[in-house]
Each structure stands twice: as C-alpha cells, then as structure tokens.
Amino acid sequence: MRKFKTESKKLLDLMINSIYTNREIFLRELVSNASDAIDKLYLKSLTDSSVQVDQANLAINVAFDKDARTITVSDNGIGMTADELEKNLGTIAHSGSEEFKAANAEAQGDAVDIIGRFGVGFYSAFMVAREVSVISRAYGSDECNRWTSDGVEGYTIEPVSADDPAYRSEPGTSVIMALKENAEEANYDEFLSEWKLRELIRRYSNYVRYPVQMLVTKSREKEKPADAGDDYKPEWEDYTELETINSMTPIWKKRGSEVTDEEYAEFYKSTFHDWVDPARTFSLHAEGTLEYDALLFIPGQASFDLYSRDYEKGLELYSSNVLIMEKCADLLPDYYNFVRGVVDSADVSLNISRETLQQTRQLQAMARRIEKKITGELESMRDNDREAYEKFFENFGRGLKYGIYSSYGMKKDELAGLLLFWSAREQKMVTLQEYVAAMADGQKAIYYAAGDDRERLAKMPVVEAVLAKGYDVLLATQDVDEFCFQAMRDFTAKGLPKTYEDDAAREAAEKAVADGAEPEVEDRTVELKNVTSGDLDLASDEEKKEAEEATKANEGLFDAMKDALEGQVEKVAVSTRLAADGAPAVITSEGPLSLEMEKVLAAGPEAGEAPKAVRVLEVNAKHPVFEKLRAAQEAGDAEKVKLYAGLLYNQALLVEGILPEDPVAFATQVCELM
C-alpha cells in the first residue's frame, strides 16, 4: 500500500469531515468529474485528427447494487494511466482538470467547459463510502488500472487483467463506492435506491451537457395469451430500461425565441414549487471579463413565509451548469428578496467544496447588474402594464418600502420611484412622480396621512382640510409607510415641465417651443409632510395672524386645558389647518416621531419602552365648542373646563385611531355631559 503523506492525511480528514457539510453532493462531484473527462476527450478529438469520437455515444452512467451496497459512476471519457491515477488521486488537492484547462485555454470554446478546479471533489465520495475503487483505461492505451483506498491510510494502484470482470474494454473511468454501514446519525442505504439517485441527479446535475443515464424499473402490461378466456384479467410485469435522467440543455442557455412563455412558466413552477405563473420573466446575458447567464422571475403571488424570519432569499447558483448553491443570498438585496431565478457562471470564485461562494468583486459585480436589471423590469411593468404592477406592489411593495427605511434613505433614489400610494383626490394608486407632476400651483410638499384604514384616513379633519386647499393627500396604510417617509425626507421628481419665475421667461420658452425647440424640463425636489405633524404652512398670512391673536387672547384658557390634561399634551393652541365647519379639535405632533409611528412602536415587542410622540391639541377657534370653552373659563368653572378639555382630547384621539388611555373615564365624561 502506498501511504498518504502526513499533510495529505490531515487534509483528507479535514475535507471529509469539515469542508463538505452535505453528504449527498458526492454524486454531483463525481458526475462533474465524469463530464470533465468526456470534455477532455472531445477537446482532444478537435485538436488531434487521429482521435475519433462519436459524440452521440458520449455519456455518464450511474448504477447501484443494493446487495453489494455499491454505487458506480462511469464515463467513456479520456481515462487515466497508472501515472495519472497516482498524480491525480494520490495527491490531495491536485486538479487534473484545472491543469488541463490551463494548458488548453486557447483551444477551449463553447463546446467544451471543464468544471473541476481544485481536485478535492473526488474525495467527497468518502463521506458515504468506506472504500472507493477507481478503474480507468486511458484513451489510446490497452492497459487498465485500479486505484483503491479507504480514505484513511493510503491507496493501492494495480493493473486489471483482461480476464477480470472489472476490466474496461473501452477508454474511460468507473468510480465504485462501497457504502459505509448505517449509523445512528446517518442512513447510507437511502442512496441505494433508484428514486434517491434520480433526485440527486436532477437537483445537482440536471444541466450537465452529457446524458446521465441509469437503468430504471418500469411496468408494462403483459401481452394477452391467445387462449385466454373471457374472464382473463390483465397481468403486469416489471422491466428495466436505460433512461437519460438529466435534461442537459439549461433553459437559460436557450435563445428567447426558442422558449415559449408556457415553458418558462412550467420551469418556474417546477423548480421553485409554485402553482401560480410568474408575473414577469426576464433574462440577462453578460459577456466580457465576467460572463454569466441569469433567468429571473417575479412571482405572481407572495409566498406564505415571505415576511417571516424563516424565509431565505437567494438565487440558484450554477457553475458550468452544475448546481453550486440552492440559495445564494449575496446575489439579491433584501428588498428584492422575492425574486426567484438561476445564475450560471463559470467565472465565479468558489471555495474548495463549491458549497460556499467566496466574497469577490465578481460576485459583487454580478449582484449590482442583477439588481439594476430587476429595477429596470419593475419600471417597465409600472409604465407599460399598470394593472399587473399594482398587483405586484400589493404583494411585494412592503419590502421596497422597508428597503428605503432599513438603508436610512440611502436607497431612496433607486426605490422611491417604484412606490405606489392611494391618492385621496384621484381615488387610485399613484406614484410619487405622478403626485408631483399633478401638484397644484404653489404647493410646496407631498402631503400624506398614515394609518391602518384608508376610509378612516379620508375622513380625518386634517386630511379634509388639506384637500379643501386643493392639495392631494396620499393615504398610507401599511405600518412601514411612516418610517419609510421619515427616512426619505424628500422626493426628487425627474423631467417635469420647467416652471418660470416670471411671465417674460415663460413666454420666451413657449416661443422657442413653437419654433421647434424641445420643451425645457427640470428635476424638482419636494419635502414629504405628514398632515398631522408640525406646521404644514398652508394658512395665509391673515389666517396665521388671526390664530396668533386668538392664542394670545386665550392664553389662560389654554394653560388651564393643558393642566387639566395632566401632561398628555405639550401645549394647546389655535389650529390654522381646520375649517370653520370642521372638527372642534385635532391632535398633532411635533418632532420626528408621529402619532402613527407611536402606534406602530406601541404594538411591537417592546411596547412598554416605546417612545411617545410630542402631542399638541389644536382647537378650532371658529367652532361653536370653542365658545363654550371660553364661557366656562370666563365663569371660573374649572371643572367644566377640565371636562371639556378631556372630551376634546379623547375625541381627537379616537379620530386618529388611538384609544383613550382611560376609556372608562371618557365614557363617564360623556355621561356627565349628557
């Protein structure tokens, strides 16, 4: 027996027990090696006219023997001599494929794609096998040799005589694995079944360019005997047939004209276990320093676990048609976590087990290009198929908003244009770009109201007041909306018709357009404002003056109301946002924390420590209730002032969708008034 070197033994032990984490990938590695061996022979035939290869007969065979507890992977590729067995299998981490690829770099083309890189994939067989035998005959040689090892101490290499049943009469290699005995932590018998081997081939090696064949058991009805009577019952028999398990040609490598929408949809549903056709299918083909193909899908509906902690994002990653990772999370940003698809590149840098992708500039470049492609497709859907986009946004819009919030607004330039909100004036979903384009003259901000119900928001006094001014209000009903807007702060609308400061400039521009010039456009940045937060600056100078005078004249009343509310509000003031026939009072907030954000945080896991908004009670000085308050104050009826203050405050809270802190006390106050 030839001994493994000490460092090789350590590496082999590390590789079998640590590098690979999923034992079932052994078949992927051996099939990939077999594909490489066939590729080498095919390339040799392209460069050496004496080498004749019948491409139609090139194939990989997988077989199992349940009684002997063996699995065999065979190919009719280039094969190995005894020296090559020593060199390639006796030295851990020596890659014959990588060496061959480097030596034949110029000769390789689209017809040949060597998969192997590191020379350790073969040893993954020892995760399931107690002993591995490799029987190989090199092309052009009459010698056949056997390499055998238990993966512990060393290996043997010996010739195989022509009268030995294991002798190969044709060039190629057979890898025979004698499986380990079952243990408490592992059931190796599962690999000795037709369905399991078929599953592994289809999962990991479905798109290897050569047929992966296996004898499969099928059933058929026996021929009816000629002398069978009328009471004859059909009989069935089992038979075996050599079947190609893999599909070989990946759908993402085909031209778009060669694939129908139905075929794309079927691939999507079967691969990603969905029963609804994708809302959008698109592909990406990159050439140059980094080459890869991508086939991406936007699902037609959100998966049930999309917003759960257990959901895993990621695209299937292939290297030369061999599945490397089922979910490569690094290829998708979190806000596009709903996208499904496959990416295939022979250029990605893999670690030696192929199970973990190294963080490289190549990966980052692919991720950036994929993200840009997804954004472009969503913009196209938004502009050209609005109905489909609104359905998409209903399913996945929350994630886009969260992408802006979680990036502290850094991603607003990429994502803000994709957002949709309900327009109180237009009574439909609109983009922020559409909102700004339709803004009234003199409007300085995008106004929105945040809450949990569109109908309730539309009836809020502050919303009605803004609409009365001729300004639209966006009704935001998801819990992330307010946080998204706070992170954005403002929005820049692109390519809007240019506005002119004076009539002369406008007339000159109009004349230029009439003479054939292109209309001038500009980008316009507008602030986002919650209608319940701060000063909206919608009142005229006269209205502001009236409010200031009324506040000053009733300073004593407002101080008494604030005291009566016992610290629940920061101040009481006259409102400039309520119409004379509007609500008697409204709750607003000052500072960055709005009432809606307070509600969302209060519903979270740390509700007891959630911060409170700085509340302001704004009263309508033109409402009849205000006169009742003044009369009570002037009469010195402190109890009535306290009663009215509590009623107005709790009523305003209810309009905001917030329950009074003491509902019993509120009910008692109503009864007292009655």
Side-chain angles (χ1 to χ4, degrees):
M1 176 181 285
R2 310 181 194 192
K3 298 285 187 179
F4 287 125
K5 294 180 180 179
T6 302
E7 60 271 20
S8 292
K9 287 174 62 178
K10 291 180 179 178
L11 179 57
L12 181 58
D13 181 68
L14 175 68
M15 182 180 52
I16 296 172
N17 297 299
S18 301
I19 291 178
Y20 289 101
T21 58
N22 181 8
R23 65 171 59 90
E24 66 183 23
I25 57 87
F26 79 92
L27 191 59
R28 176 193 73 185
E29 298 296 325
L30 296 181
V31 169
S32 296
N33 288 347
S35 176
D36 285 348
I38 298 175
D39 265 338
K40 292 174 186 177
L41 179 60
Y42 181 62
L43 181 59
K44 190 176 183 68
S45 72
L46 297 177
T47 56
D48 186 345
S49 59
S50 66
V51 178
Q52 299 297 316
V53 174
D54 184 356
Q55 193 172 2
N57 290 329
L58 297 176
I60 301 163
N61 186 275
V62 177
F64 69 97
D65 185 329
K66 207 164 190 176
D67 295 331
R69 301 189 79 251
T70 61
I71 298 174
T72 303
V73 178
S74 302
D75 65 70
N76 51 1
I78 199 165
M80 290 179 280
T81 63
D83 289 342
E84 288 170 334
L85 286 170
E86 169 76 30
K87 185 178 181 181
N88 294 333
L89 304 184
T91 305
I92 310 294
H94 177 273
S95 175
S97 292
E98 178 69 4
E99 189 176 275
F100 184 90
K101 188 166 187 171
N104 296 273
E106 294 183 2
Q108 281 200 82
D110 293 337
V112 177
D113 189 5
I114 303 300
I115 301 169
R117 298 287 184 87
F118 296 98
V120 297
F122 164 78
Y123 300 96
S124 64
F126 287 106
M127 288 194 298
V128 299
R130 57 178 174 78
E131 183 179 87
V132 177
S133 297
V134 179
I135 300 171
S136 190
R137 176 178 173 176
Y139 184 87
S141 172
D142 294 330
E143 293 183 1
C144 182
N145 295 281
R146 178 191 287 114
W147 180 97
T148 306
S149 175
D150 60 1
V152 179
E153 294 297 328
Y155 57 93
T156 61
I157 297 177
E158 58 186 7
V160 180
S161 62
D163 57 356
D164 191 319
Y167 181 80
R168 290 189 61 103
S169 58
E170 298 292 336
T173 300
S174 298
V175 180
I176 306 167
M177 292 159 283
L179 298 192
K180 296 178 180 179
E181 295 299 325
N182 293 331
E184 185 176 340
E185 72 281 358
N187 176 23
Y188 297 102
D189 281 350
E190 67 173 330
F191 300 115
L192 294 170
S193 67
E194 181 183 307
W195 71 267
K196 183 63 175 180
L197 294 176
R198 287 168 67 106
E199 178 202 358
L200 296 183
I201 292 168
R202 285 176 174 164
R203 183 190 303 175
Y204 295 108
S205 306
N206 198 32
Y207 305 112
V208 168
R209 68 170 68 238
Y210 301 105
V212 181
Q213 299 176 333
M214 191 168 72
L215 275 176
V216 298
T217 301
K218 297 183 178 182
S219 183
R220 63 190 173 194
E221 185 178 346
K222 290 183 178 180
E223 186 177 347
K224 183 179 178 179
D227 57 350
D230 295 337
D231 59 346
Y232 173 77
K233 294 182 180 180
E235 295 182 0
W236 297 78
E237 64 179 354
D238 290 337
Y239 69 102
T240 57
E241 183 176 271
L242 191 64
E243 183 177 293
T244 297
I245 308 300
N246 61 326
S247 64
M248 291 180 281
T249 305
I251 195 170
W252 58 85
K253 291 287 182 70
K254 296 180 179 179
R255 297 178 182 271
S257 58
E258 298 175 351
V259 187
T260 65
D261 292 340
E262 290 75 17
E263 288 173 327
Y264 278 131
E266 186 57 36
F267 171 80
Y268 165 77
K269 289 188 286 188
S270 62
T271 304
F272 301 106
H273 311 295
D274 200 349
W275 60 88
V276 177
D277 288 352
R280 197 85 166 184
T281 301
F282 50 100
S283 58
L284 177 62
H285 178 69
E287 295 181 335
T289 55
L290 178 61
E291 296 187 0
Y292 57 92
D293 295 286
L295 179 60
L296 306 174
F297 302 92
I298 295 175
Q301 64 180 11
S303 62
F304 71 93
D305 61 342
L306 178 62
Y307 296 109
S308 72
R309 290 183 178 181
D310 296 331
Y311 181 79
E312 293 182 50
K313 66 170 183 173
L315 302 176
E316 287 191 351
L317 179 65
Y318 287 76
S319 179
S320 300
N321 302 346
V322 176
L323 180 64
I324 303 303
M325 297 180 70
E326 290 189 323
K327 290 188 177 180
C328 182
D330 295 320
L331 288 173
L332 286 176
D334 287 342
Y335 42 86
Y336 287 155
N337 64 348
F338 53 85
V339 175
R340 306 281 185 86
V342 298
V343 178
D344 189 353
S345 174
D347 296 329
V348 292
S349 298
L350 310 175
N351 78 342
I352 56 177
S353 73
R354 305 190 198 185
E355 291 183 275
T356 306
L357 203 63
Q358 294 178 350
Q359 297 297 321
T360 65
R361 293 180 181 176
Q362 297 166 319
L363 180 63
Q364 294 167 2
M366 289 168 61
R368 284 194 298 269
R369 181 80 183 274
I370 290 170
E371 178 183 353
K372 187 176 180 180
K373 181 67 174 179
I374 296 170
T375 302
E377 289 295 327
L378 292 178
E379 290 172 344
S380 175
M381 190 192 304
R382 176 199 64 197
D383 297 339
N384 302 309
D385 191 350
R386 190 55 169 266
E387 183 179 351
Y389 186 76
E390 289 187 10
K391 185 177 180 181
F392 153 79
F393 194 80
E394 182 181 348
N395 286 322
F396 306 110
R398 180 189 295 271
L400 305 184
K401 297 171 186 176
Y402 188 77
I404 295 175
Y405 166 67
S406 61
S407 66
Y408 303 98
M410 298 279 290
K411 286 292 181 180
K412 69 177 183 179
D413 291 341
E414 291 88 346
L415 299 177
L418 298 173
L419 303 184
L420 293 178
F421 297 96
W422 185 262
S423 163
R425 183 174 66 190
E426 301 294 332
Q427 290 294 294
K428 65 179 183 179
M429 301 294 282
V430 299
T431 65
L432 296 177
Q433 174 82 14
E434 291 165 346
Y435 179 100
V436 176
M439 287 198 323
D441 292 340
Q443 185 174 347
K444 300 176 182 178
I446 296 173
Y447 299 108
Y448 68 91
D452 53 11
D453 182 79
R454 185 192 300 169
E455 300 299 324
R456 183 184 65 79
L457 288 174
K459 296 175 182 177
M460 287 175 58
V462 286
V463 172
E464 292 176 339
V466 174
L467 290 171
K469 293 284 185 181
Y471 304 149
D472 196 4
V473 179
L474 299 178
L475 307 182
T477 55
Q478 290 187 328
D479 52 10
V480 72
D481 287 339
E482 177 75 357
F483 296 89
C484 173
F485 282 136
Q486 291 278 3
M488 286 176 61
R489 298 181 180 271
D490 56 42
F491 173 75
T492 301
K494 306 287 186 180
L496 296 179
K498 186 174 177 61
T499 56
Y500 301 95
E501 297 180 357
D502 53 62
D503 293 340
R506 185 180 66 255
E507 290 171 0
E510 290 173 351
K511 184 178 184 304
V513 172
D515 292 338
E518 290 291 330
E520 291 186 284
V521 295
E522 64 181 0
D523 294 344
R524 196 175 307 157
T525 300
V526 289
E527 189 180 358
L528 290 152
K529 284 192 175 183
N530 189 324
V531 293
T532 65
S533 298
D535 182 11
L536 296 182
D537 196 24
L538 295 179
S540 64
D541 292 340
E542 183 179 348
E543 289 171 331
K544 291 177 183 178
K545 184 177 180 182
E546 287 180 5
E548 289 174 4
E549 292 175 351
T551 299
K552 188 173 183 181
N554 295 281
E555 190 173 354
L557 170 62
F558 294 152
D559 287 343
M561 292 177 69
K562 179 183 175 182
D563 292 340
L565 294 174
E566 300 177 345
Q568 294 181 83
V569 297
E570 180 69 16
K571 66 179 179 180
V572 181
V574 172
S575 177
T576 60
R577 68 184 87 204
L578 295 175
D581 58 349
V586 67
I587 294 290
T588 62
S589 62
E590 291 184 343
L593 189 66
S594 69
L595 295 171
E596 182 60 24
M597 293 175 74
E598 177 188 309
K599 284 167 55 181
V600 174
L601 293 173
E606 299 180 358
E609 301 177 4
K612 299 286 187 181
V614 179
R615 299 179 180 183
V616 175
L617 178 61
E618 295 187 7
V619 296
N620 188 348
K622 297 179 181 179
H623 197 280
V625 167
F626 186 65
E627 293 303 320
K628 296 283 187 180
L629 279 166
R630 289 182 59 187
Q633 176 69 11
E634 291 172 359
D637 192 343
E639 286 301 315
K640 184 170 285 190
V641 170
K642 182 176 181 180
L643 174 64
Y644 286 173
L647 283 169
L648 285 177
Y649 175 71
N650 286 320
Q651 174 187 307
L653 284 180
L654 288 173
V655 172
E656 289 291 333
I658 303 174
L659 287 175
E661 293 185 10
D662 190 347
V664 175
F666 176 61
T668 303
Q669 290 171 338
V670 173
C671 290
E672 288 180 19
L673 187 63
M674 293 173 65

